[in-house]
Amino acid sequence: MKIHDISMTISEDMPVYKNLDKKKPKFINVDNYENASHYETNLEINLHTGTHVDFPLHMIENGSTSDSERLSNYITQASVYDLTHLNECIKKEDIDRLGIKKGDFVLFKTKNSFDDAFNFEFVYVEKIAAKYLSELGVIGVGIDTLGIERAQKNHETHKYLLEKDIVILEGIRLKDIKPGNYQLIALPIKIKSVEASFCRAVLIES
Amino acid sequence: MKIHDISMTISEDMPVYKNLDKKKPKFINVDNYENASHYETNLEINLHTGTHVDFPLHMIENGSTSDSERLSNYITQASVYDLTHLNECIKKEDIDRLGIKKGDFVLFKTKNSFDDAFNFEFVYVEKIAAKYLSELGVIGVGIDTLGIERAQKNHETHKYLLEKDIVILEGIRLKDIKPGNYQLIALPIKIKSVEASFCRAVLIES
């Protein structure tokens, strides 16, 4: 069993969405070996930091939350597709060539997998492509940027997927991953009634 | 494949260590459908909240951190042992009866698995028992309380385990789990250079 870690590392200087200061995590050391006999840290963090899943409430008013998640969606077969040739976005015709099957969890490796900093021109999933993915019956879509869409009105890419309870997994790191089939483990931390949660995402090669 | 969730739910009113206010997570809603077209939450949280692993730095000065973790320790065979008959602590002789093997990840189901609130008199692992577990060569020890030791001087239970890089998994929920063998998945969120991290812990029954 080979475990490939496809998670971002959470740190104060990590890339965050649009480099906004308010989205950067803060680490507060509350106990250390000068004032105590142990070491403890507090974290101030936005739920969309690093590798995470979005639940419907993130983009749909009164949408469902973490409370409705199905764990089997996060321990599942997944396929990594090479889309590193695309410069702007992932369109329906790009997806059509991939041979995606119903029940697949698709992970899109884009040119952003090679970025170390947040890229404002990141490759996103175009809304008609998102609608097509939902019609194909995928159970999840993962991408190695911090957003699955960029400046689209009404967040339609998110909505087409979240309306069908398709998992959106953002902020994975596929630079070192070859296209192919893997077992994905990307279980979100169990937080009550929220719109997103952190994951440690790995791919298992057997 | 049956997935048993053995994680605590993180919420503002969850049990925290010794019920200390400063250890309770805070949820801050930063965007919602009254001020924006999406919903977003920030979290203020201690790294030892809910189901989590401790790294050596937590109890050993200059000890190693999350940066040295081995992922194979968190996707592994594990055994659940019924110790619900114990009232005070887990001693060497209690462990001696269990037939623990080298390389096992042991999960101790105690009477605390039935508690909904923090129990100040929680069943802990006594220091000589911890030393014995390290000699047996276990790779991890999980327990369904928020601490693996209670009021012991010098945190020796932690130290005997952490000195040998044995995983300490605290705050699991074994109430509904039958003793026996499972696959454990308890991957910690990838946070840079810290002394603990949150896990979504599950047991797989095949």
Side-chain angles (χ1 to χ4, degrees), chain B residues 136-158:
Chain B
L136 287 173
V138 301
I139 65 165
V141 181
I143 195 158
D144 46 14
T145 61
L146 285 167
I148 198 166
E149 64 191 313
R150 212 197 291 162
Q152 296 98 289
K153 257 194 177 171
N154 299 324
H155 315 297
E156 286 176 275
T157 293
H158 273 91

Side-chain angles (χ1 to χ4, degrees), chain A residues 33 41 43 45 57 69 195, chain B residues 33 41 43 45 57 195 200:
Chain A
Y33 294 101
T41 307
L43 199 57
I45 189 163
L57 178 64
E69 64 179 5
E195 86 290 350
Chain B
Y33 294 100
T41 306
L43 199 56
I45 188 163
L57 178 65
E195 85 290 352
R200 181 65 176 264

Side-chain angles (χ1 to χ4, degrees), chain A residues 1 3-5 7-11 13 22-23 27 30-31 33-34 37-48 51 56-62 67 69 71-73 75-76 155 159 183 185 187-195 198-202 204, chain B residues 1 3-5 7-11 13 22-23 27 30-31 33-34 37-48 51 56-62 67 69 71-73 75-76 155 159 183 185 187-195 198-202 204:
Chain A
M1 179 176 87
I3 305 171
H4 298 275
D5 191 5
S7 310
M8 289 178 74
T9 302
I10 294 173
S11 71
D13 56 1
K22 66 177 182 180
K23 302 233 180 208
F27 289 62
V30 286
D31 285 313
Y33 294 101
E34 287 175 19
S37 61
H38 62 274
Y39 193 100
E40 256 184 67
T41 307
N42 283 0
L43 199 57
E44 293 181 14
I45 189 163
N46 179 285
L47 290 183
H48 303 260
T51 308
L57 178 64
H58 179 43
M59 291 296 185
I60 298 172
E61 197 166 354
N62 301 315
D67 301 345
E69 64 179 5
L71 289 187
S72 57
N73 282 346
I75 307 177
T76 183
H155 314 299
K159 285 178 183 167
Q183 188 188 25
I185 302 175
L187 291 161
I189 294 300
K190 191 176 186 179
I191 310 177
K192 189 176 176 184
S193 309
V194 283
E195 86 290 350
F198 321 112
C199 305
R200 182 66 176 266
V202 301
I204 313 282
Chain B
M1 179 176 86
I3 304 171
H4 298 275
D5 192 5
S7 311
M8 289 178 72
T9 302
I10 294 174
S11 71
D13 56 0
K22 64 178 182 179
K23 304 234 179 206
F27 289 61
V30 286
D31 286 312
Y33 294 100
E34 287 174 19
S37 61
H38 63 274
Y39 193 99
E40 256 183 68
T41 306
N42 284 0
L43 199 56
E44 293 181 13
I45 188 163
N46 180 284
L47 291 183
H48 303 260
T51 308
L57 178 65
H58 180 42
M59 290 299 186
I60 298 172
E61 197 166 355
N62 302 314
D67 300 345
E69 64 179 5
L71 289 186
S72 57
N73 282 346
I75 306 177
T76 184
H155 315 297
K159 285 177 182 168
Q183 188 188 25
I185 302 176
L187 291 161
I189 294 300
K190 192 176 187 180
I191 310 176
K192 189 176 176 183
S193 309
V194 284
E195 85 290 352
F198 320 112
C199 305
R200 181 65 176 264
V202 301
I204 313 282

